[in-house]
Amino acid sequence: MKIGITKNGTLVEARKADRNEKYFCTSCQRALKLCSGQYKKNYFAHQSFTKKQGYQPKGETKRHLMGKKKGRRFL
């Protein structure tokens, strides 16, 4: 995800985001974390939630979720 929203309602691109700020999803308003890597540009990802916390990812197929669990990529 390349865009997040601050608690003040300001849209922020991940490449310009501050690590000390909190960001939220523009769709579901859940907390995001700022991620980066050696080869990837900054991006936002949803924080991990357990089923006990009532989080159900939207728009992800069962196959996609299985792949995330197993750490594999499906083509």
Side-chain angles (χ1 to χ4, degrees):
M1 189 176 321
K2 298 194 185 246
I3 296 179
I5 192 166
T6 64
K7 60 183 173 185
N8 297 331
T10 306
L11 292 174
V12 178
E13 291 182 61
R15 64 187 177 100
K16 296 180 180 179
D18 179 5
R19 289 215 173 272
N20 299 320
E21 183 74 45
K22 291 187 179 184
Y23 298 97
F24 302 91
C25 180
T26 56
S27 297
C28 67
Q29 288 73 42
R30 291 194 184 269
L32 297 174
K33 60 182 175 180
L34 182 59
C35 302
S36 61
Q38 185 176 358
Y39 302 105
K40 286 188 172 187
K41 295 179 181 178
N42 287 359
Y43 62 96
F44 291 113
H46 285 94
Q47 289 184 0
S48 297
F49 291 92
T50 63
K51 289 182 182 178
K52 288 182 180 179
Q53 292 171 308
Y55 177 68
Q56 175 60 43
K58 295 181 181 177
E60 295 183 342
T61 64
K62 286 183 182 180
R63 182 178 181 186
H64 179 81
L65 292 172
M66 281 180 12
K68 284 171 75 172
K69 254 185 181 175
K70 292 183 180 181
R72 297 183 191 163
R73 277 189 158 188
F74 290 95
L75 300 176

